[in-house]
PDB file of all heavy atoms in Angstrom:
ATOM      1  N   LEU A 456     -49.325   7.968  28.940  1.00 93.00           N
ATOM      2  CA  LEU A 456     -49.211   7.056  27.797  1.00 93.00           C
ATOM      3  C   LEU A 456     -50.002   5.772  28.057  1.00 93.00           C
ATOM      4  O   LEU A 456     -50.684   5.251  27.169  1.00 93.00           O
ATOM      5  CB  LEU A 456     -47.742   6.716  27.537  1.00 93.00           C
ATOM      6  CG  LEU A 456     -46.844   7.851  27.040  1.00 93.00           C
ATOM      7  CD1 LEU A 456     -45.403   7.380  26.928  1.00 93.00           C
ATOM      8  CD2 LEU A 456     -47.331   8.385  25.685  1.00 93.00           C
ATOM      9  N   LYS A 457     -49.916   5.298  29.275  1.00 92.00           N
ATOM     10  CA  LYS A 457     -50.611   4.061  29.630  1.00 92.00           C
ATOM     11  C   LYS A 457     -52.127   4.233  29.563  1.00 92.00           C
ATOM     12  O   LYS A 457     -52.854   3.335  29.119  1.00 92.00           O
ATOM     13  CB  LYS A 457     -50.196   3.619  31.030  1.00 92.00           C
ATOM     14  CG  LYS A 457     -50.723   2.254  31.434  1.00 92.00           C
ATOM     15  CD  LYS A 457     -50.149   1.831  32.777  1.00 92.00           C
ATOM     16  CE  LYS A 457     -50.654   0.443  33.164  1.00 92.00           C
ATOM     17  NZ  LYS A 457     -50.084   0.007  34.477  1.00 92.00           N
ATOM     18  N   SER A 458     -52.610   5.415  29.981  1.00 94.00           N
ATOM     19  CA  SER A 458     -54.051   5.675  29.972  1.00 94.00           C
ATOM     20  C   SER A 458     -54.565   6.124  28.612  1.00 94.00           C
ATOM     21  O   SER A 458     -55.773   6.199  28.390  1.00 94.00           O
ATOM     22  CB  SER A 458     -54.400   6.732  31.019  1.00 94.00           C
ATOM     23  OG  SER A 458     -53.818   7.989  30.669  1.00 94.00           O
ATOM     24  N   GLY A 459     -53.649   6.451  27.692  1.00 93.00           N
ATOM     25  CA  GLY A 459     -54.050   6.896  26.361  1.00 93.00           C
ATOM     26  C   GLY A 459     -54.379   8.369  26.263  1.00 93.00           C
ATOM     27  O   GLY A 459     -54.865   8.837  25.226  1.00 93.00           O
ATOM     28  N   VAL A 460     -54.110   9.124  27.303  1.00 94.00           N
ATOM     29  CA  VAL A 460     -54.399  10.564  27.291  1.00 94.00           C
ATOM     30  C   VAL A 460     -53.444  11.305  26.359  1.00 94.00           C
ATOM     31  O   VAL A 460     -53.832  12.253  25.673  1.00 94.00           O
ATOM     32  CB  VAL A 460     -54.304  11.139  28.720  1.00 94.00           C
ATOM     33  CG1 VAL A 460     -54.406  12.663  28.703  1.00 94.00           C
ATOM     34  CG2 VAL A 460     -55.407  10.555  29.587  1.00 94.00           C
ATOM     35  N   LEU A 461     -52.183  10.864  26.325  1.00 94.00           N
ATOM     36  CA  LEU A 461     -51.177  11.469  25.459  1.00 94.00           C
ATOM     37  C   LEU A 461     -50.609  10.408  24.526  1.00 94.00           C
ATOM     38  O   LEU A 461     -50.640   9.215  24.827  1.00 94.00           O
ATOM     39  CB  LEU A 461     -50.048  12.094  26.276  1.00 94.00           C
ATOM     40  CG  LEU A 461     -50.404  13.258  27.211  1.00 94.00           C
ATOM     41  CD1 LEU A 461     -49.169  13.713  27.973  1.00 94.00           C
ATOM     42  CD2 LEU A 461     -51.026  14.417  26.446  1.00 94.00           C
ATOM     43  N   LYS A 462     -50.073  10.868  23.407  1.00 94.00           N
ATOM     44  CA  LYS A 462     -49.469   9.960  22.442  1.00 94.00           C
ATOM     45  C   LYS A 462     -48.140  10.523  21.960  1.00 94.00           C
ATOM     46  O   LYS A 462     -48.004  11.731  21.734  1.00 94.00           O
ATOM     47  CB  LYS A 462     -50.398   9.761  21.237  1.00 94.00           C
ATOM     48  CG  LYS A 462     -49.810   8.806  20.187  1.00 94.00           C
ATOM     49  CD  LYS A 462     -50.652   8.708  18.942  1.00 94.00           C
ATOM     50  CE  LYS A 462     -49.956   7.824  17.899  1.00 94.00           C
ATOM     51  NZ  LYS A 462     -50.726   7.755  16.640  1.00 94.00           N
ATOM     52  N   ILE A 463     -47.171   9.625  21.786  1.00 95.00           N
ATOM     53  CA  ILE A 463     -45.870  10.025  21.249  1.00 95.00           C
ATOM     54  C   ILE A 463     -45.931  10.041  19.727  1.00 95.00           C
ATOM     55  O   ILE A 463     -46.427   9.101  19.109  1.00 95.00           O
ATOM     56  CB  ILE A 463     -44.766   9.048  21.701  1.00 95.00           C
ATOM     57  CG1 ILE A 463     -44.569   9.128  23.212  1.00 95.00           C
ATOM     58  CG2 ILE A 463     -43.444   9.351  20.987  1.00 95.00           C
ATOM     59  CD1 ILE A 463     -43.562   8.121  23.760  1.00 95.00           C
ATOM     60  N   ILE A 464     -45.422  11.111  19.138  1.00 94.00           N
ATOM     61  CA  ILE A 464     -45.273  11.216  17.688  1.00 94.00           C
ATOM     62  C   ILE A 464     -43.776  11.188  17.380  1.00 94.00           C
ATOM     63  O   ILE A 464     -43.037  12.079  17.801  1.00 94.00           O
ATOM     64  CB  ILE A 464     -45.899  12.522  17.143  1.00 94.00           C
ATOM     65  CG1 ILE A 464     -47.349  12.670  17.615  1.00 94.00           C
ATOM     66  CG2 ILE A 464     -45.803  12.546  15.620  1.00 94.00           C
ATOM     67  CD1 ILE A 464     -48.293  11.582  17.140  1.00 94.00           C
ATOM     68  N   GLU A 465     -43.342  10.169  16.684  1.00 94.00           N
ATOM     69  CA  GLU A 465     -41.924  10.054  16.365  1.00 94.00           C
ATOM     70  C   GLU A 465     -41.513  11.125  15.348  1.00 94.00           C
ATOM     71  O   GLU A 465     -42.301  11.514  14.492  1.00 94.00           O
ATOM     72  CB  GLU A 465     -41.617   8.667  15.778  1.00 94.00           C
ATOM     73  CG  GLU A 465     -41.953   7.500  16.693  1.00 94.00           C
ATOM     74  CD  GLU A 465     -40.986   7.367  17.850  1.00 94.00           C
ATOM     75  OE1 GLU A 465     -39.909   7.999  17.802  1.00 94.00           O
ATOM     76  OE2 GLU A 465     -41.318   6.627  18.801  1.00 94.00           O
ATOM     77  N   ILE A 466     -40.277  11.577  15.469  1.00 92.00           N
ATOM     78  CA  ILE A 466     -39.703  12.509  14.497  1.00 92.00           C
ATOM     79  C   ILE A 466     -38.638  11.744  13.721  1.00 92.00           C
ATOM     80  O   ILE A 466     -37.685  11.219  14.321  1.00 92.00           O
ATOM     81  CB  ILE A 466     -39.078  13.735  15.175  1.00 92.00           C
ATOM     82  CG1 ILE A 466     -40.102  14.406  16.087  1.00 92.00           C
ATOM     83  CG2 ILE A 466     -38.583  14.728  14.126  1.00 92.00           C
ATOM     84  CD1 ILE A 466     -39.537  15.551  16.898  1.00 92.00           C
ATOM     85  N   LYS A 467     -38.799  11.670  12.423  1.00 91.00           N
ATOM     86  CA  LYS A 467     -37.928  10.851  11.585  1.00 91.00           C
ATOM     87  C   LYS A 467     -36.459  11.255  11.748  1.00 91.00           C
ATOM     88  O   LYS A 467     -36.094  12.414  11.560  1.00 91.00           O
ATOM     89  CB  LYS A 467     -38.344  10.971  10.116  1.00 91.00           C
ATOM     90  CG  LYS A 467     -37.658   9.968   9.198  1.00 91.00           C
ATOM     91  CD  LYS A 467     -38.238  10.026   7.796  1.00 91.00           C
ATOM     92  CE  LYS A 467     -37.607   8.976   6.888  1.00 91.00           C
ATOM     93  NZ  LYS A 467     -38.185   9.015   5.516  1.00 91.00           N
ATOM     94  N   LYS A 468     -35.663  10.281  12.124  1.00 88.00           N
ATOM     95  CA  LYS A 468     -34.212  10.457  12.262  1.00 88.00           C
ATOM     96  C   LYS A 468     -33.840  11.609  13.206  1.00 88.00           C
ATOM     97  O   LYS A 468     -32.856  12.322  12.989  1.00 88.00           O
ATOM     98  CB  LYS A 468     -33.567  10.680  10.888  1.00 88.00           C
ATOM     99  CG  LYS A 468     -33.684   9.477   9.966  1.00 88.00           C
ATOM    100  CD  LYS A 468     -32.970   9.728   8.645  1.00 88.00           C
ATOM    101  CE  LYS A 468     -33.081   8.507   7.727  1.00 88.00           C
ATOM    102  NZ  LYS A 468     -32.393   8.715   6.423  1.00 88.00           N
ATOM    103  N   LEU A 469     -34.658  11.796  14.241  1.00 89.00           N
ATOM    104  CA  LEU A 469     -34.330  12.828  15.224  1.00 89.00           C
ATOM    105  C   LEU A 469     -34.626  12.331  16.645  1.00 89.00           C
ATOM    106  O   LEU A 469     -35.509  12.830  17.331  1.00 89.00           O
ATOM    107  CB  LEU A 469     -35.107  14.120  14.947  1.00 89.00           C
ATOM    108  CG  LEU A 469     -34.755  15.333  15.831  1.00 89.00           C
ATOM    109  CD1 LEU A 469     -33.297  15.717  15.676  1.00 89.00           C
ATOM    110  CD2 LEU A 469     -35.658  16.510  15.531  1.00 89.00           C
ATOM    111  N   PRO A 470     -33.873  11.328  17.102  1.00 88.00           N
ATOM    112  CA  PRO A 470     -34.008  10.938  18.507  1.00 88.00           C
ATOM    113  C   PRO A 470     -33.363  12.003  19.390  1.00 88.00           C
ATOM    114  O   PRO A 470     -32.341  12.583  19.024  1.00 88.00           O
ATOM    115  CB  PRO A 470     -33.237   9.615  18.577  1.00 88.00           C
ATOM    116  CG  PRO A 470     -32.217   9.733  17.491  1.00 88.00           C
ATOM    117  CD  PRO A 470     -32.866  10.537  16.382  1.00 88.00           C
ATOM    118  N   ILE A 471     -33.970  12.294  20.505  1.00 90.00           N
ATOM    119  CA  ILE A 471     -33.424  13.308  21.407  1.00 90.00           C
ATOM    120  C   ILE A 471     -33.169  12.647  22.766  1.00 90.00           C
ATOM    121  O   ILE A 471     -34.105  12.331  23.501  1.00 90.00           O
ATOM    122  CB  ILE A 471     -34.375  14.512  21.579  1.00 90.00           C
ATOM    123  CG1 ILE A 471     -34.705  15.125  20.220  1.00 90.00           C
ATOM    124  CG2 ILE A 471     -33.733  15.555  22.488  1.00 90.00           C
ATOM    125  CD1 ILE A 471     -35.671  16.299  20.296  1.00 90.00           C
ATOM    126  N   HIS A 472     -31.914  12.413  23.062  1.00 89.00           N
ATOM    127  CA  HIS A 472     -31.533  11.846  24.341  1.00 89.00           C
ATOM    128  C   HIS A 472     -30.754  12.882  25.140  1.00 89.00           C
ATOM    129  O   HIS A 472     -30.144  13.792  24.575  1.00 89.00           O
ATOM    130  CB  HIS A 472     -30.686  10.582  24.149  1.00 89.00           C
ATOM    131  CG  HIS A 472     -31.427   9.453  23.502  1.00 89.00           C
ATOM    132  ND1 HIS A 472     -31.331   9.163  22.150  1.00 89.00           N
ATOM    133  CD2 HIS A 472     -32.306   8.557  24.016  1.00 89.00           C
ATOM    134  CE1 HIS A 472     -32.103   8.130  21.862  1.00 89.00           C
ATOM    135  NE2 HIS A 472     -32.702   7.739  22.974  1.00 89.00           N
ATOM    136  N   ARG A 473     -30.790  12.714  26.419  1.00 86.00           N
ATOM    137  CA  ARG A 473     -30.020  13.617  27.277  1.00 86.00           C
ATOM    138  C   ARG A 473     -29.593  12.861  28.534  1.00 86.00           C
ATOM    139  O   ARG A 473     -30.094  11.779  28.839  1.00 86.00           O
ATOM    140  CB  ARG A 473     -30.852  14.827  27.678  1.00 86.00           C
ATOM    141  CG  ARG A 473     -32.054  14.480  28.549  1.00 86.00           C
ATOM    142  CD  ARG A 473     -32.746  15.710  29.048  1.00 86.00           C
ATOM    143  NE  ARG A 473     -34.010  15.369  29.711  1.00 86.00           N
ATOM    144  CZ  ARG A 473     -34.835  16.261  30.218  1.00 86.00           C
ATOM    145  NH1 ARG A 473     -34.557  17.534  30.129  1.00 86.00           N
ATOM    146  NH2 ARG A 473     -35.955  15.887  30.813  1.00 86.00           N
ATOM    147  N   GLN A 474     -28.701  13.481  29.243  1.00 87.00           N
ATOM    148  CA  GLN A 474     -28.186  12.902  30.476  1.00 87.00           C
ATOM    149  C   GLN A 474     -28.578  13.804  31.638  1.00 87.00           C
ATOM    150  O   GLN A 474     -28.496  15.028  31.541  1.00 87.00           O
ATOM    151  CB  GLN A 474     -26.659  12.799  30.402  1.00 87.00           C
ATOM    152  CG  GLN A 474     -26.015  12.080  31.556  1.00 87.00           C
ATOM    153  CD  GLN A 474     -26.099  10.567  31.425  1.00 87.00           C
ATOM    154  OE1 GLN A 474     -25.956  10.029  30.339  1.00 87.00           O
ATOM    155  NE2 GLN A 474     -26.346   9.896  32.537  1.00 87.00           N
ATOM    156  N   PHE A 475     -29.051  13.202  32.715  1.00 90.00           N
ATOM    157  CA  PHE A 475     -29.197  13.943  33.953  1.00 90.00           C
ATOM    158  C   PHE A 475     -27.852  13.908  34.667  1.00 90.00           C
ATOM    159  O   PHE A 475     -27.167  12.875  34.679  1.00 90.00           O
ATOM    160  CB  PHE A 475     -30.275  13.330  34.852  1.00 90.00           C
ATOM    161  CG  PHE A 475     -31.674  13.459  34.307  1.00 90.00           C
ATOM    162  CD1 PHE A 475     -32.628  12.492  34.597  1.00 90.00           C
ATOM    163  CD2 PHE A 475     -32.042  14.532  33.527  1.00 90.00           C
ATOM    164  CE1 PHE A 475     -33.917  12.593  34.113  1.00 90.00           C
ATOM    165  CE2 PHE A 475     -33.328  14.653  33.016  1.00 90.00           C
ATOM    166  CZ  PHE A 475     -34.268  13.676  33.314  1.00 90.00           C
ATOM    167  N   TYR A 476     -27.480  15.019  35.293  1.00 92.00           N
ATOM    168  CA  TYR A 476     -26.172  15.117  35.945  1.00 92.00           C
ATOM    169  C   TYR A 476     -26.304  15.523  37.413  1.00 92.00           C
ATOM    170  O   TYR A 476     -27.169  16.331  37.771  1.00 92.00           O
ATOM    171  CB  TYR A 476     -25.301  16.186  35.255  1.00 92.00           C
ATOM    172  CG  TYR A 476     -24.799  15.788  33.900  1.00 92.00           C
ATOM    173  CD1 TYR A 476     -25.541  16.059  32.755  1.00 92.00           C
ATOM    174  CD2 TYR A 476     -23.566  15.155  33.743  1.00 92.00           C
ATOM    175  CE1 TYR A 476     -25.083  15.701  31.497  1.00 92.00           C
ATOM    176  CE2 TYR A 476     -23.092  14.793  32.483  1.00 92.00           C
ATOM    177  CZ  TYR A 476     -23.863  15.068  31.372  1.00 92.00           C
ATOM    178  OH  TYR A 476     -23.397  14.718  30.121  1.00 92.00           O
ATOM    179  N   PHE A 477     -25.447  14.940  38.240  1.00 94.00           N
ATOM    180  CA  PHE A 477     -25.205  15.499  39.558  1.00 94.00           C
ATOM    181  C   PHE A 477     -24.304  16.710  39.366  1.00 94.00           C
ATOM    182  O   PHE A 477     -23.374  16.676  38.548  1.00 94.00           O
ATOM    183  CB  PHE A 477     -24.476  14.502  40.461  1.00 94.00           C
ATOM    184  CG  PHE A 477     -25.244  13.259  40.782  1.00 94.00           C
ATOM    185  CD1 PHE A 477     -24.789  12.026  40.339  1.00 94.00           C
ATOM    186  CD2 PHE A 477     -26.404  13.306  41.540  1.00 94.00           C
ATOM    187  CE1 PHE A 477     -25.483  10.870  40.644  1.00 94.00           C
ATOM    188  CE2 PHE A 477     -27.105  12.151  41.843  1.00 94.00           C
ATOM    189  CZ  PHE A 477     -26.650  10.935  41.398  1.00 94.00           C
ATOM    190  N   ILE A 478     -24.544  17.762  40.109  1.00 93.00           N
ATOM    191  CA  ILE A 478     -23.629  18.898  40.083  1.00 93.00           C
ATOM    192  C   ILE A 478     -23.116  19.160  41.490  1.00 93.00           C
ATOM    193  O   ILE A 478     -23.860  19.141  42.466  1.00 93.00           O
ATOM    194  CB  ILE A 478     -24.270  20.172  39.495  1.00 93.00           C
ATOM    195  CG1 ILE A 478     -25.527  20.597  40.266  1.00 93.00           C
ATOM    196  CG2 ILE A 478     -24.590  19.983  38.024  1.00 93.00           C
ATOM    197  CD1 ILE A 478     -26.056  21.964  39.855  1.00 93.00           C
ATOM    198  N   THR A 479     -21.820  19.352  41.587  1.00 92.00           N
ATOM    199  CA  THR A 479     -21.151  19.662  42.847  1.00 92.00           C
ATOM    200  C   THR A 479     -20.092  20.722  42.566  1.00 92.00           C
ATOM    201  O   THR A 479     -19.674  20.906  41.417  1.00 92.00           O
ATOM    202  CB  THR A 479     -20.474  18.403  43.439  1.00 92.00           C
ATOM    203  OG1 THR A 479     -19.670  17.778  42.428  1.00 92.00           O
ATOM    204  CG2 THR A 479     -21.519  17.412  43.945  1.00 92.00           C
ATOM    205  N   PRO A 480     -19.635  21.425  43.590  1.00 88.00           N
ATOM    206  CA  PRO A 480     -18.557  22.388  43.362  1.00 88.00           C
ATOM    207  C   PRO A 480     -17.303  21.675  42.888  1.00 88.00           C
ATOM    208  O   PRO A 480     -17.080  20.502  43.205  1.00 88.00           O
ATOM    209  CB  PRO A 480     -18.351  23.024  44.742  1.00 88.00           C
ATOM    210  CG  PRO A 480     -19.617  22.758  45.491  1.00 88.00           C
ATOM    211  CD  PRO A 480     -20.121  21.440  44.984  1.00 88.00           C
ATOM    212  N   GLN A 481     -16.472  22.364  42.138  1.00 83.00           N
ATOM    213  CA  GLN A 481     -15.198  21.796  41.720  1.00 83.00           C
ATOM    214  C   GLN A 481     -14.359  21.481  42.954  1.00 83.00           C
ATOM    215  O   GLN A 481     -14.386  22.196  43.947  1.00 83.00           O
ATOM    216  CB  GLN A 481     -14.441  22.766  40.817  1.00 83.00           C
ATOM    217  CG  GLN A 481     -15.041  22.925  39.434  1.00 83.00           C
ATOM    218  CD  GLN A 481     -14.805  21.705  38.538  1.00 83.00           C
ATOM    219  OE1 GLN A 481     -14.246  20.705  38.970  1.00 83.00           O
ATOM    220  NE2 GLN A 481     -15.236  21.790  37.288  1.00 83.00           N
ATOM    221  N   GLY A 482     -13.621  20.374  42.880  1.00 75.00           N
ATOM    222  CA  GLY A 482     -12.799  19.963  44.008  1.00 75.00           C
ATOM    223  C   GLY A 482     -13.175  18.570  44.466  1.00 75.00           C
ATOM    224  O   GLY A 482     -14.055  17.929  43.880  1.00 75.00           O
ATOM    225  N   PRO A 483     -12.532  18.067  45.516  1.00 66.00           N
ATOM    226  CA  PRO A 483     -12.804  16.712  46.001  1.00 66.00           C
ATOM    227  C   PRO A 483     -14.251  16.562  46.439  1.00 66.00           C
ATOM    228  O   PRO A 483     -14.833  17.472  47.039  1.00 66.00           O
ATOM    229  CB  PRO A 483     -11.842  16.565  47.196  1.00 66.00           C
ATOM    230  CG  PRO A 483     -10.808  17.619  46.997  1.00 66.00           C
ATOM    231  CD  PRO A 483     -11.490  18.748  46.286  1.00 66.00           C
ATOM    232  N   GLU A 484     -14.837  15.404  46.128  1.00 68.00           N
ATOM    233  CA  GLU A 484     -16.203  15.122  46.548  1.00 68.00           C
ATOM    234  C   GLU A 484     -16.159  14.265  47.801  1.00 68.00           C
ATOM    235  O   GLU A 484     -15.324  13.372  47.939  1.00 68.00           O
ATOM    236  CB  GLU A 484     -16.967  14.395  45.444  1.00 68.00           C
ATOM    237  CG  GLU A 484     -17.202  15.261  44.221  1.00 68.00           C
ATOM    238  CD  GLU A 484     -17.733  14.459  43.040  1.00 68.00           C
ATOM    239  OE1 GLU A 484     -17.671  13.212  43.102  1.00 68.00           O
ATOM    240  OE2 GLU A 484     -18.183  15.067  42.062  1.00 68.00           O
ATOM    241  N   GLY A 485     -17.059  14.518  48.725  1.00 73.00           N
ATOM    242  CA  GLY A 485     -17.086  13.737  49.946  1.00 73.00           C
ATOM    243  C   GLY A 485     -18.299  14.071  50.782  1.00 73.00           C
ATOM    244  O   GLY A 485     -19.191  14.801  50.348  1.00 73.00           O
ATOM    245  N   GLY A 486     -18.347  13.546  51.996  1.00 82.00           N
ATOM    246  CA  GLY A 486     -19.423  13.849  52.910  1.00 82.00           C
ATOM    247  C   GLY A 486     -20.777  13.351  52.439  1.00 82.00           C
ATOM    248  O   GLY A 486     -20.895  12.410  51.651  1.00 82.00           O
ATOM    249  N   LEU A 487     -21.812  13.994  52.935  1.00 87.00           N
ATOM    250  CA  LEU A 487     -23.180  13.586  52.606  1.00 87.00           C
ATOM    251  C   LEU A 487     -23.498  13.695  51.117  1.00 87.00           C
ATOM    252  O   LEU A 487     -24.242  12.855  50.597  1.00 87.00           O
ATOM    253  CB  LEU A 487     -24.173  14.395  53.440  1.00 87.00           C
ATOM    254  CG  LEU A 487     -24.136  14.142  54.958  1.00 87.00           C
ATOM    255  CD1 LEU A 487     -25.139  15.032  55.670  1.00 87.00           C
ATOM    256  CD2 LEU A 487     -24.384  12.680  55.278  1.00 87.00           C
ATOM    257  N   PRO A 488     -22.986  14.701  50.389  1.00 90.00           N
ATOM    258  CA  PRO A 488     -23.254  14.724  48.947  1.00 90.00           C
ATOM    259  C   PRO A 488     -22.785  13.459  48.236  1.00 90.00           C
ATOM    260  O   PRO A 488     -23.504  12.912  47.393  1.00 90.00           O
ATOM    261  CB  PRO A 488     -22.482  15.962  48.465  1.00 90.00           C
ATOM    262  CG  PRO A 488     -22.470  16.869  49.647  1.00 90.00           C
ATOM    263  CD  PRO A 488     -22.300  15.940  50.827  1.00 90.00           C
ATOM    264  N   LEU A 489     -21.594  12.978  48.576  1.00 88.00           N
ATOM    265  CA  LEU A 489     -21.088  11.757  47.945  1.00 88.00           C
ATOM    266  C   LEU A 489     -21.921  10.548  48.365  1.00 88.00           C
ATOM    267  O   LEU A 489     -22.187   9.654  47.553  1.00 88.00           O
ATOM    268  CB  LEU A 489     -19.624  11.539  48.316  1.00 88.00           C
ATOM    269  CG  LEU A 489     -18.945  10.321  47.671  1.00 88.00           C
ATOM    270  CD1 LEU A 489     -18.982  10.423  46.148  1.00 88.00           C
ATOM    271  CD2 LEU A 489     -17.509  10.182  48.158  1.00 88.00           C
ATOM    272  N   LEU A 490     -22.346  10.520  49.617  1.00 88.00           N
ATOM    273  CA  LEU A 490     -23.208   9.430  50.096  1.00 88.00           C
ATOM    274  C   LEU A 490     -24.481   9.365  49.265  1.00 88.00           C
ATOM    275  O   LEU A 490     -24.900   8.282  48.824  1.00 88.00           O
ATOM    276  CB  LEU A 490     -23.546   9.645  51.573  1.00 88.00           C
ATOM    277  CG  LEU A 490     -24.499   8.621  52.206  1.00 88.00           C
ATOM    278  CD1 LEU A 490     -23.800   7.285  52.357  1.00 88.00           C
ATOM    279  CD2 LEU A 490     -24.994   9.127  53.564  1.00 88.00           C
ATOM    280  N   LEU A 491     -25.107  10.524  49.039  1.00 92.00           N
ATOM    281  CA  LEU A 491     -26.350  10.546  48.265  1.00 92.00           C
ATOM    282  C   LEU A 491     -26.102  10.188  46.805  1.00 92.00           C
ATOM    283  O   LEU A 491     -26.866   9.419  46.198  1.00 92.00           O
ATOM    284  CB  LEU A 491     -27.004  11.931  48.353  1.00 92.00           C
ATOM    285  CG  LEU A 491     -28.330  12.078  47.591  1.00 92.00           C
ATOM    286  CD1 LEU A 491     -29.397  11.167  48.195  1.00 92.00           C
ATOM    287  CD2 LEU A 491     -28.801  13.532  47.595  1.00 92.00           C
ATOM    288  N   MET A 492     -25.034  10.724  46.230  1.00 90.00           N
ATOM    289  CA  MET A 492     -24.713  10.414  44.834  1.00 90.00           C
ATOM    290  C   MET A 492     -24.548   8.911  44.626  1.00 90.00           C
ATOM    291  O   MET A 492     -25.096   8.339  43.670  1.00 90.00           O
ATOM    292  CB  MET A 492     -23.426  11.137  44.414  1.00 90.00           C
ATOM    293  CG  MET A 492     -23.588  12.602  44.133  1.00 90.00           C
ATOM    294  SD  MET A 492     -21.996  13.427  43.808  1.00 90.00           S
ATOM    295  CE  MET A 492     -21.409  12.509  42.404  1.00 90.00           C
ATOM    296  N   ASN A 493     -23.802   8.285  45.505  1.00 89.00           N
ATOM    297  CA  ASN A 493     -23.560   6.839  45.375  1.00 89.00           C
ATOM    298  C   ASN A 493     -24.858   6.064  45.519  1.00 89.00           C
ATOM    299  O   ASN A 493     -25.109   5.095  44.776  1.00 89.00           O
ATOM    300  CB  ASN A 493     -22.541   6.376  46.414  1.00 89.00           C
ATOM    301  CG  ASN A 493     -21.141   6.865  46.111  1.00 89.00           C
ATOM    302  OD1 ASN A 493     -20.827   7.212  44.979  1.00 89.00           O
ATOM    303  ND2 ASN A 493     -20.277   6.900  47.121  1.00 89.00           N
TER     304      ASN A 493
END
């Protein structure tokens, strides 16, 4: 975008947002995975 190679085309009334998620097994979180998440 900064170099002008690509351009964003807006879509009327259609913003698309999403969330990135950490995934871990169900159960208590701890150890190195929790260290990295934090």
Side-chain angles (χ1 to χ4, degrees):
L456 292 176
K457 187 174 181 179
S458 66
V460 172
L461 297 178
K462 180 186 176 183
I463 294 176
I464 307 298
E465 301 287 346
I466 306 175
K467 190 173 183 179
K468 295 183 179 180
L469 186 60
I471 304 178
H472 295 98
R473 65 173 171 181
Q474 186 80 39
F475 292 149
Y476 288 89
F477 296 115
I478 58 171
T479 50
Q481 289 287 4
E484 293 170 347
L487 294 178
L489 183 59
L490 177 71
L491 181 64
M492 283 174 59
N493 289 339

